[in-house]
Amino acid sequence: MLEPLSKISTNGKWLFLAYDHGFEHGPVDLPGRSLDPYYVLGVAEQAKYNAVILQKGTALRYYKGSQFEGKIPLIVKLNGKASIRQGEALSLQNCSVKFAKEVLGAVAIGYTIYLGSEHDPQMFAEFGRIVEEAHALKMGAIAWVYPRGAAVQDDASAEITAYAARIGMELGADMVKIKYSGTMESFHHAVAAAGETKVVLSGGVRAEQEEQFLRLVTSVMDAGAHGVAVGRNVWQAEDPIAVTKDLKDIVFSEVYEPDKK
Amino acid sequence: MLEPLSKISTNGKWLFLAYDHGFEHGPVDLPGRSLDPYYVLGVAEQAKYNAVILQKGTALRYYKGSQFEGKIPLIVKLNGKASIRQGEALSLQNCSVKFAKEVLGAVAIGYTIYLGSEHDPQMFAEFGRIVEEAHALKMGAIAWVYPRGAAVQDDASAEITAYAARIGMELGADMVKIKYSGTMESFHHAVAAAGETKVVLSGGVRAEQEEQFLRLVTSVMDAGAHGVAVGRNVWQAEDPIAVTKDLKDIVFSEVYEPDKK
Amino acid sequence: MLEPLSKISTNGKWLFLAYDHGFEHGPVDLPGRSLDPYYVLGVAEQAKYNAVILQKGTALRYYKGSQFEGKIPLIVKLNGKASIRQGEALSLQNCSVKFAKEVLGAVAIGYTIYLGSEHDPQMFAEFGRIVEEAHALKMGAIAWVYPRGAAVQDDASAEITAYAARIGMELGADMVKIKYSGTMESFHHAVAAAGETKVVLSGGVRAEQEEQFLRLVTSVMDAGAHGVAVGRNVWQAEDPIAVTKDLKDIVFSEVYEPDKK
Amino acid sequence: MLEPLSKISTNGKWLFLAYDHGFEHGPVDLPGRSLDPYYVLGVAEQAKYNAVILQKGTALRYYKGSQFEGKIPLIVKLNGKASIRQGEALSLQNCSVKFAKEVLGAVAIGYTIYLGSEHDPQMFAEFGRIVEEAHALKMGAIAWVYPRGAAVQDDASAEITAYAARIGMELGADMVKIKYSGTMESFHHAVAAAGETKVVLSGGVRAEQEEQFLRLVTSVMDAGAHGVAVGRNVWQAEDPIAVTKDLKDIVFSEVYEPDKK
Amino acid sequence: MLEPLSKISTNGKWLFLAYDHGFEHGPVDLPGRSLDPYYVLGVAEQAKYNAVILQKGTALRYYKGSQFEGKIPLIVKLNGKASIRQGEALSLQNCSVKFAKEVLGAVAIGYTIYLGSEHDPQMFAEFGRIVEEAHALKMGAIAWVYPRGAAVQDDASAEITAYAARIGMELGADMVKIKYSGTMESFHHAVAAAGETKVVLSGGVRAEQEEQFLRLVTSVMDAGAHGVAVGRNVWQAEDPIAVTKDLKDIVFSEVYEPDKK
């Protein structure tokens, strides 16, 4: 069910503003004005992101019925994991697909799979069911696939990054969000492994210098990625609008033509 | 679904009388007349609390069909954990949302999440479903979020308190009940982290001196909290009505204006 | 839903004949004629117990369609645990509430909760659901609450006995069945902790001398208990009818007036 | 729901041909022609067993729609455990009651409970539900109850054999299949413990000499058992028809009259 | 429900092209052009395989609505396990039977059971339910049965291979896919153990020389197998069409007549 995602793309590319860090990492990740969801939604609207990514509660309190509803397309993250608990990673669904669609007005849902965790069978199964429910409601289904756990030796290796991308495709995700693998070549391999499933980069922690982050984004777009989900590198920046403009220049540019159709 | 909670507020603030200690800690927490739910309900009615918080059974035996039904708004705690079992904290739903609404007449439900417990994924998922059911029945959903478990180093740190407040918001709670973080500044940060989700203080163990407790309440209200859920500090007191009067003076006073809208 | 239980009481007191020992402990607990459920049902009928307590299968084979059906009120125990397995106690539902009512003709159901077991969250949740189902079918719900597990230091202490009684009330039980705490005073505290939820004593292992057991029963009735569920002390006795007569004299006597309304 | 089982009995006794060994132990238990289900079904038909006991798949491929359908009554084993996995025994339902009845045409279902296993609570619960479903469809429910696990000291003791038999009755089984306890006296006690629930012997491994096995069967029938489920001792024999004739002489003889009604 | 599978057979034999390796092992197993599902589907169509075996997502993106839909029969693998996680093997359903049929257009479903794993009871139960659902929708049900886990001493022994084949039959699979046992004789025993359930070889890792693989296939077909599911040995080959031709010569030849009907 790629259609609802295609509709909100810019020439087949996507720039998402992700803001589920309050659940995943806590307010420590949300310094200054970034603690306020209204601020981040304002950035998303003003800079015309293709969509904003929120947890259920944030969508319920700040998007639904607010000035932003319908102005920025919404993607709801259906699961979340807090960073305090140790042990093998497990993130379970806390929002139904139906609620995301009918109450919150989302065009797509997101779900994180910790590939390699002792609990990954449970997350594969849960995401599999979610894909079917989302498609039945004509929503896109996006898999965050992150290698994690004692069994993972190098969570940014070329091999495991391509595996993460592929797992997303094999499970039926319309789009897969993965982390950077360190080089353009290896990321290109991951994009190829995902094939018809679109690949977006997970922006990750804030780069020390914006230039660094832009080079990384250039690398992944050159690698054939279909977009980027940014967060901390934007709303922690002094001028998020300016950063977004730089990002759009890279993500939406028609310069690069991936060698695969 | 904040409306049913707003309706029972006093100028947007809430003073709740919590009385689920018989489940959580046992009768050891209920000395003297406080063992008798009728006594506590009498205090709640006489002192006009915004709501009383009970476990299902207490509501069934002492509220439903008694002189108190409809006189004091009711919040039903849907889960509970006894203090004897050791191991990582797990508190599961023992009362359905429908039962709380239709049989017991509750305006809102409460649910405890032990943030950091090995089992927190299960509680996140269960509360997520409960929020949807409660909102479908036009009930408020309140999350008790308490850091707990071997992975928690300091359960009253500024950082974890703000995290607890934020998790409540991200999961869709209308209100989050958290513990005191030690200072007004840190509690203010937690209130800001919860944003549009209202924050109420969990009163905690009985202070040695009432004055101590009132200073703590003043601190959290100055921090921008929206209320307090008291228990032992009231019904273990010699004159609960007098204590309540003092609390109301603080909680409902219009003196403090939080700097955030 | 106390009504169906009240109807079968004798002046607000109950004397139950429990006979689920074949499941819980095995035939080793059923010497001589007590191995035969017909014998025990005969005792129950002849001595006019307020109800007999059976596991599903015993009710299905010996009560339903037999001469005893409808002659003695029936309580069906919905869960059971065999004594062989070690590890933390877990007893799960093996009979539906609907089956107990519609097929077996029970007026109430019983369910054991091992308070303090690693698995008590699961039993709290299961009993919580059962209470709602039972009340919807206008049946009484009785909780057996027994402290058990590595976390329990003294399973007969005053404190834990009162906690057990209270947990039953907080979970919505109409009646709670607990073990003797050793003294009248401490048992009185447990009865007070249960409040509007009726308390019946769990008779326990056979006393060496009947007199001993009668003193114990006198103590709990003096403590304000609402009855006793006896088993081994009756059907292992030489003259169960005579023992029952002695028990009735104590349980149904109007001598003791508990100081709480 | 003993009726469908009574209908297929021979004077209130049962001789079953069990053939689920391919699941439980693998082909190692099925030497020579016994590997072929058609051979075993042929024996069952020719020797007129009261029923044949098969796993779902065997019934689906070899009974349903074959020459044997309707010629030999069918009992479907609803769960199965392979012998490779170590750890505490757990056997879960792999065939629904409805499928056994409507697709396969079974008159009764079987289910194994490993009494004493760490997982026995789960099997008690699953069998409890199955009994209700079977009875609703007017099918018999047979419990295989086998002591198993680290907590079991002697799985053939008189005490545990009687416990196994009793658990079957208490859970609502129409019939319980147990192992031999070593002596007629102890098996008699097990039969008495099961009471109105019929007891059949589980034939067990092939005896070195047929005579040995016949003595064992004589012992259990003398003990008051209601039949025998044989397998290896028949279809591993050179002349299964002859062995069956000998078994019938013992099982269906009217010589022994148990002293209990 | 063998019919839909029979319809797509070649004279009662099957040659399947399996391509779920991206899920099971990752892109490391998909060198060169084999990374692209379109390439593999092209091979399947051109070489006229009896069916292609895909995970849900691959079927959704590359088969459904593509030029291949309806041209090659489709089998959907309903579960999958990634190779990173260690610990006892567990593969859970990520695609519903209904989705496989109605959305993807599959004629049959596949499901892997790790025989001997600590979790095999869960997979037996899940596959049991799936068989019933598949048959209700008139789809074939194929079990991949692979010995795996600490309890498995030799996963290619004659005994365990026959056990794997038999378990598939006993659970109701129409077809079972197993690994090579090393010799024709032992594989013949496995085929006999599966009986009416068809046996196909799991092709396994790429042989160093094609000749080697062809000898293996000859061996299993001589052993009475009903086909082969190939993957790496075909789409990793330089000329997959030529390899397929060689395979067909062996698999579809009428030379060998198994001695059992």
Side-chain angles (χ1 to χ4, degrees):
Chain A
M1 198 50 59
L2 190 57
E3 198 197 317
L5 284 168
S6 294
K7 254 190 208 162
I8 63 167
S9 78
T10 302
N11 299 324
K13 296 289 188 304
W14 290 268
L15 188 61
F16 295 132
L17 194 59
Y19 184 65
D20 61 340
H21 305 66
F23 196 123
E24 297 289 336
H25 312 139
V28 74
D29 247 27
L30 312 171
R33 56 196 181 182
S34 73
L35 186 66
D36 182 4
Y38 286 135
Y39 171 71
V40 175
L41 281 161
V43 168
E45 187 190 27
Q46 197 184 335
K48 296 192 192 313
Y49 275 83
N50 297 97
V52 67
I53 300 168
L54 303 175
Q55 279 278 341
K56 166 201 218 165
T58 319
L60 190 63
R61 303 282 159 219
Y62 295 88
Y63 180 86
K64 188 181 158 62
S66 84
Q67 60 183 107
F68 301 106
E69 186 175 4
K71 293 284 171 49
I72 322 152
L74 172 69
I75 294 167
V76 173
K77 236 344 248 333
L78 299 190
N79 65 343
K81 178 180 77 62
S83 62
I84 299 166
R85 169 181 173 276
Q86 303 300 309
E88 290 289 289
L90 174 62
S91 187
L92 296 177
Q93 186 177 11
N94 64 56
C95 179
S96 71
V97 175
K98 199 175 146 80
F99 193 87
K101 170 84 172 193
E102 296 180 5
V103 175
L104 302 174
V107 299
I109 57 81
Y111 183 93
T112 303
I113 292 166
Y114 291 103
L115 176 63
S117 161
E118 176 62 25
H119 306 292
D120 71 14
Q122 199 176 342
M123 290 176 277
F124 293 156
E126 191 158 89
F127 181 64
R129 181 177 46 69
I130 284 170
V131 166
E132 298 183 18
E133 292 179 18
H135 287 190
L137 293 177
K138 303 199 179 309
M139 303 174 78
I142 310 176
W144 279 223
V145 187
Y146 299 156
R148 192 75 54 92
V152 174
Q153 286 172 355
D154 175 359
D155 68 356
S157 74
E159 192 183 311
I160 211 165
T161 303
Y163 202 166
R166 183 74 177 202
I167 283 280
M169 187 281 276
E170 301 259 349
L171 279 167
D174 299 286
M175 189 176 274
V176 63
K177 181 165 167 267
I178 56 174
K179 301 202 170 171
Y180 189 49
S181 53
T183 67
M184 197 267 271
E185 288 69 26
S186 60
F187 206 84
H188 176 70
H189 182 54
V191 170
E196 292 285 349
T197 289
K198 308 300 179 189
V199 174
V200 296
L201 174 77
S202 171
V205 298
R206 194 179 176 194
E208 284 185 27
Q209 306 223 317
E210 189 196 318
E211 198 51 39
Q212 257 183 301
F213 183 59
L214 294 179
R215 272 200 304 274
L216 189 160
V217 170
T218 303
S219 167
V220 304
M221 294 311 294
D222 283 357
H226 306 89
V228 184
V230 288
R232 287 163 285 187
N233 279 290
V234 167
W235 36 256
Q236 287 181 8
E238 285 204 12
D239 187 346
I241 307 298
V243 179
T244 305
K245 194 179 167 306
D246 292 343
L247 284 166
K248 284 181 162 180
D249 284 349
I250 301 165
V251 174
F252 298 151
S253 79
E254 296 294 309
V255 175
Y256 175 80
E257 274 300 321
D259 58 9
K260 68 174 280 291
K261 182 66 172 63
Chain B
M1 197 52 58
L2 190 57
E3 199 196 317
L5 284 168
S6 294
K7 255 190 208 161
I8 63 168
S9 77
T10 303
N11 299 324
K13 296 290 188 304
W14 290 268
L15 188 61
F16 295 133
L17 193 60
Y19 184 66
D20 61 341
H21 306 66
F23 196 124
E24 297 288 336
H25 311 138
V28 73
D29 247 26
L30 312 171
R33 57 196 179 180
S34 72
L35 186 66
D36 182 3
Y38 286 134
Y39 171 71
V40 175
L41 281 160
V43 169
E45 187 191 26
Q46 196 185 336
K48 297 194 192 312
Y49 275 82
N50 297 97
V52 67
I53 300 169
L54 304 175
Q55 279 278 341
K56 166 200 215 165
T58 319
L60 190 63
R61 302 284 158 218
Y62 296 87
Y63 180 86
K64 187 181 158 62
S66 84
Q67 61 185 104
F68 300 106
E69 188 175 3
K71 293 284 171 50
I72 323 151
L74 173 69
I75 294 167
V76 173
K77 233 349 244 332
L78 299 190
N79 65 343
K81 179 179 75 60
S83 61
I84 299 167
R85 169 181 174 275
Q86 302 299 308
E88 291 289 290
L90 174 62
S91 187
L92 296 177
Q93 186 177 10
N94 63 55
C95 178
S96 72
V97 176
K98 200 175 146 79
F99 193 87
K101 171 84 174 193
E102 297 180 5
V103 175
L104 303 175
V107 298
I109 57 81
Y111 183 94
T112 304
I113 292 167
Y114 291 104
L115 177 64
S117 161
E118 177 62 25
H119 306 290
D120 71 13
Q122 199 176 341
M123 290 176 277
F124 293 156
E126 191 158 89
F127 182 64
R129 181 177 47 68
I130 285 170
V131 166
E132 298 184 18
E133 291 179 18
H135 287 190
L137 293 178
K138 303 202 180 309
M139 303 174 80
I142 310 176
W144 278 223
V145 187
Y146 299 156
R148 192 75 53 92
V152 174
Q153 287 172 355
D154 176 359
D155 67 356
S157 73
E159 193 183 311
I160 212 165
T161 302
Y163 203 166
R166 183 74 177 202
I167 283 279
M169 187 280 277
E170 301 259 349
L171 279 166
D174 300 287
M175 189 177 274
V176 63
K177 180 163 167 268
I178 56 173
K179 301 201 170 171
Y180 190 50
S181 53
T183 66
M184 197 267 271
E185 289 68 27
S186 60
F187 206 84
H188 176 70
H189 183 53
V191 171
E196 292 286 348
T197 289
K198 308 301 178 188
V199 175
V200 296
L201 174 76
S202 172
V205 298
R206 192 177 177 198
E208 284 185 27
Q209 306 223 318
E210 189 197 318
E211 197 52 39
Q212 255 183 303
F213 183 59
L214 294 179
R215 272 200 304 273
L216 190 160
V217 171
T218 304
S219 167
V220 305
M221 294 309 295
D222 283 357
H226 306 88
V228 184
V230 288
R232 289 164 283 188
N233 279 290
V234 167
W235 36 257
Q236 287 183 6
E238 287 205 10
D239 186 347
I241 308 298
V243 179
T244 304
K245 196 181 166 303
D246 292 343
L247 284 165
K248 284 182 162 180
D249 284 348
I250 301 165
V251 174
F252 297 152
S253 80
E254 295 295 308
V255 175
Y256 175 80
E257 274 299 320
D259 58 9
K260 68 174 280 293
K261 183 65 172 60
Chain C
M1 197 53 58
L2 189 57
E3 198 197 317
L5 284 168
S6 294
K7 257 191 209 163
I8 62 168
S9 78
T10 303
N11 298 325
K13 296 289 186 303
W14 291 268
L15 187 62
F16 296 132
L17 193 59
Y19 184 65
D20 61 340
H21 306 66
F23 196 123
E24 297 289 335
H25 310 139
V28 74
D29 248 25
L30 312 170
R33 57 196 180 180
S34 72
L35 186 66
D36 182 4
Y38 286 135
Y39 171 72
V40 175
L41 281 160
V43 169
E45 188 190 25
Q46 196 184 335
K48 296 195 192 314
Y49 275 83
N50 297 96
V52 67
I53 300 168
L54 302 175
Q55 279 278 340
K56 166 200 214 165
T58 319
L60 190 62
R61 301 284 158 219
Y62 296 87
Y63 180 86
K64 187 181 159 62
S66 83
Q67 61 184 105
F68 301 106
E69 188 175 2
K71 294 283 170 50
I72 322 151
L74 173 69
I75 294 167
V76 173
K77 233 347 247 329
L78 298 190
N79 65 343
K81 179 179 76 62
S83 61
I84 300 166
R85 169 181 175 276
Q86 302 299 310
E88 291 289 290
L90 174 62
S91 187
L92 296 177
Q93 186 177 11
N94 63 55
C95 178
S96 72
V97 176
K98 199 175 147 78
F99 193 87
K101 170 85 175 193
E102 297 180 5
V103 175
L104 302 174
V107 298
I109 57 83
Y111 183 93
T112 304
I113 292 167
Y114 291 104
L115 177 64
S117 161
E118 177 62 25
H119 306 290
D120 71 13
Q122 200 175 340
M123 290 176 277
F124 293 156
E126 192 158 89
F127 181 65
R129 180 177 47 68
I130 285 170
V131 166
E132 299 184 17
E133 292 179 20
H135 287 191
L137 293 177
K138 303 203 180 306
M139 303 173 80
I142 309 177
W144 278 223
V145 187
Y146 299 156
R148 191 76 54 91
V152 174
Q153 288 174 353
D154 175 0
D155 68 356
S157 73
E159 193 183 311
I160 212 166
T161 302
Y163 202 165
R166 183 73 178 204
I167 283 279
M169 187 280 278
E170 301 260 349
L171 280 166
D174 300 286
M175 189 177 275
V176 63
K177 181 164 167 268
I178 56 173
K179 301 201 171 171
Y180 189 50
S181 52
T183 66
M184 197 267 271
E185 289 69 27
S186 59
F187 206 84
H188 176 70
H189 183 51
V191 170
E196 293 286 347
T197 290
K198 307 301 179 188
V199 174
V200 296
L201 174 76
S202 171
V205 299
R206 192 176 177 199
E208 285 184 26
Q209 307 223 317
E210 189 197 319
E211 197 52 37
Q212 255 183 303
F213 183 59
L214 294 179
R215 272 201 303 272
L216 191 160
V217 170
T218 304
S219 167
V220 304
M221 294 309 295
D222 283 357
H226 307 88
V228 183
V230 287
R232 289 164 283 188
N233 279 290
V234 167
W235 36 257
Q236 287 182 6
E238 287 204 12
D239 186 348
I241 308 297
V243 179
T244 305
K245 195 180 167 304
D246 292 342
L247 285 166
K248 283 181 163 180
D249 285 349
I250 300 165
V251 174
F252 298 152
S253 78
E254 295 294 309
V255 176
Y256 176 79
E257 275 298 321
D259 58 8
K260 69 174 276 295
K261 184 65 170 59
Chain D
M1 196 52 58
L2 189 57
E3 198 197 318
L5 284 168
S6 293
K7 256 192 208 162
I8 62 168
S9 77
T10 302
N11 298 326
K13 296 288 187 304
W14 290 267
L15 187 62
F16 296 132
L17 193 59
Y19 184 64
D20 62 339
H21 305 67
F23 196 122
E24 296 289 336
H25 311 139
V28 75
D29 247 25
L30 312 171
R33 55 196 181 180
S34 73
L35 187 65
D36 183 3
Y38 285 135
Y39 171 71
V40 175
L41 280 160
V43 169
E45 188 190 25
Q46 197 184 333
K48 295 196 194 311
Y49 275 83
N50 297 97
V52 66
I53 300 169
L54 303 175
Q55 279 278 339
K56 165 199 216 167
T58 318
L60 190 62
R61 302 283 158 219
Y62 295 87
Y63 180 86
K64 188 182 159 60
S66 83
Q67 60 184 107
F68 301 106
E69 188 176 3
K71 294 282 170 50
I72 324 151
L74 172 69
I75 294 168
V76 173
K77 236 343 251 330
L78 298 190
N79 65 343
K81 178 180 77 61
S83 61
I84 300 166
R85 169 180 175 276
Q86 302 300 308
E88 291 290 290
L90 174 62
S91 187
L92 296 177
Q93 186 178 11
N94 63 56
C95 178
S96 71
V97 176
K98 198 175 147 80
F99 193 87
K101 169 85 174 192
E102 297 180 5
V103 175
L104 303 174
V107 298
I109 57 82
Y111 183 94
T112 305
I113 292 166
Y114 291 104
L115 177 63
S117 161
E118 176 62 25
H119 306 292
D120 72 13
Q122 200 176 340
M123 291 176 277
F124 293 156
E126 193 159 89
F127 181 64
R129 181 178 45 68
I130 284 170
V131 166
E132 299 184 17
E133 292 179 20
H135 287 190
L137 293 177
K138 304 202 179 305
M139 304 174 78
I142 310 177
W144 278 223
V145 187
Y146 299 157
R148 191 75 53 92
V152 174
Q153 287 173 355
D154 176 0
D155 67 357
S157 73
E159 192 183 311
I160 211 166
T161 303
Y163 202 165
R166 183 74 178 204
I167 282 280
M169 186 280 277
E170 302 259 349
L171 280 165
D174 300 286
M175 190 176 274
V176 63
K177 182 165 167 266
I178 56 173
K179 302 201 169 171
Y180 189 50
S181 52
T183 66
M184 197 266 272
E185 288 69 26
S186 59
F187 206 84
H188 177 69
H189 183 52
V191 171
E196 293 285 348
T197 290
K198 308 300 178 189
V199 174
V200 296
L201 174 76
S202 172
V205 298
R206 194 178 175 196
E208 285 184 27
Q209 307 222 317
E210 190 196 318
E211 198 52 39
Q212 254 184 302
F213 183 59
L214 294 178
R215 273 200 303 273
L216 190 161
V217 170
T218 304
S219 168
V220 304
M221 294 310 294
D222 283 358
H226 307 87
V228 184
V230 288
R232 287 163 286 186
N233 279 291
V234 168
W235 36 256
Q236 286 182 8
E238 286 204 13
D239 187 348
I241 308 298
V243 179
T244 305
K245 196 182 165 305
D246 292 343
L247 284 166
K248 283 182 163 179
D249 285 348
I250 301 165
V251 174
F252 298 152
S253 78
E254 296 294 309
V255 176
Y256 175 81
E257 276 298 321
D259 57 9
K260 69 175 279 295
K261 184 63 173 60
Chain E
M1 197 52 58
L2 189 57
E3 198 197 318
L5 284 168
S6 293
K7 255 191 209 162
I8 62 168
S9 77
T10 302
N11 299 326
K13 296 289 187 305
W14 290 267
L15 187 62
F16 296 132
L17 194 58
Y19 183 65
D20 62 339
H21 306 66
F23 196 122
E24 297 289 335
H25 312 139
V28 74
D29 246 26
L30 311 171
R33 56 196 181 181
S34 73
L35 186 66
D36 183 4
Y38 285 134
Y39 171 72
V40 175
L41 280 160
V43 169
E45 187 190 26
Q46 197 184 334
K48 295 195 194 311
Y49 275 83
N50 296 97
V52 66
I53 300 167
L54 303 175
Q55 279 278 340
K56 166 200 217 165
T58 319
L60 189 63
R61 302 283 158 219
Y62 295 88
Y63 180 86
K64 187 182 159 61
S66 83
Q67 59 183 107
F68 300 106
E69 186 175 4
K71 293 283 171 49
I72 323 151
L74 172 69
I75 294 168
V76 173
K77 239 338 253 332
L78 298 191
N79 65 343
K81 177 180 76 62
S83 61
I84 300 166
R85 169 180 174 277
Q86 302 300 309
E88 289 290 289
L90 174 62
S91 187
L92 296 178
Q93 185 178 12
N94 64 56
C95 179
S96 71
V97 175
K98 198 176 148 79
F99 193 87
K101 170 85 172 193
E102 297 180 4
V103 175
L104 303 174
V107 299
I109 57 82
Y111 184 93
T112 304
I113 292 166
Y114 291 104
L115 177 63
S117 161
E118 175 63 25
H119 306 292
D120 71 14
Q122 199 176 341
M123 290 176 278
F124 293 156
E126 192 159 88
F127 181 64
R129 181 178 45 68
I130 284 170
V131 166
E132 298 184 18
E133 291 179 18
H135 287 191
L137 293 177
K138 304 201 180 305
M139 304 175 78
I142 309 176
W144 278 223
V145 187
Y146 299 157
R148 192 75 54 91
V152 175
Q153 286 173 356
D154 176 0
D155 68 356
S157 73
E159 192 184 312
I160 211 166
T161 303
Y163 202 166
R166 183 75 178 202
I167 282 278
M169 186 281 278
E170 302 259 350
L171 279 167
D174 299 286
M175 189 175 273
V176 64
K177 182 165 166 266
I178 56 173
K179 301 201 169 170
Y180 189 51
S181 52
T183 67
M184 197 265 272
E185 289 68 27
S186 60
F187 206 84
H188 176 70
H189 183 53
V191 171
E196 293 284 349
T197 289
K198 308 299 178 189
V199 174
V200 296
L201 174 77
S202 171
V205 298
R206 194 179 176 196
E208 284 184 28
Q209 305 223 318
E210 189 195 318
E211 199 51 39
Q212 256 183 300
F213 183 59
L214 294 178
R215 273 201 303 273
L216 190 161
V217 170
T218 303
S219 167
V220 304
M221 294 310 294
D222 283 357
H226 306 89
V228 183
V230 288
R232 288 163 286 188
N233 279 290
V234 168
W235 36 256
Q236 287 182 8
E238 286 204 12
D239 187 346
I241 307 298
V243 179
T244 304
K245 195 180 165 304
D246 292 342
L247 284 166
K248 283 181 162 179
D249 284 348
I250 301 165
V251 173
F252 298 151
S253 79
E254 295 294 308
V255 175
Y256 175 81
E257 275 299 321
D259 57 9
K260 70 173 279 293
K261 182 66 173 65

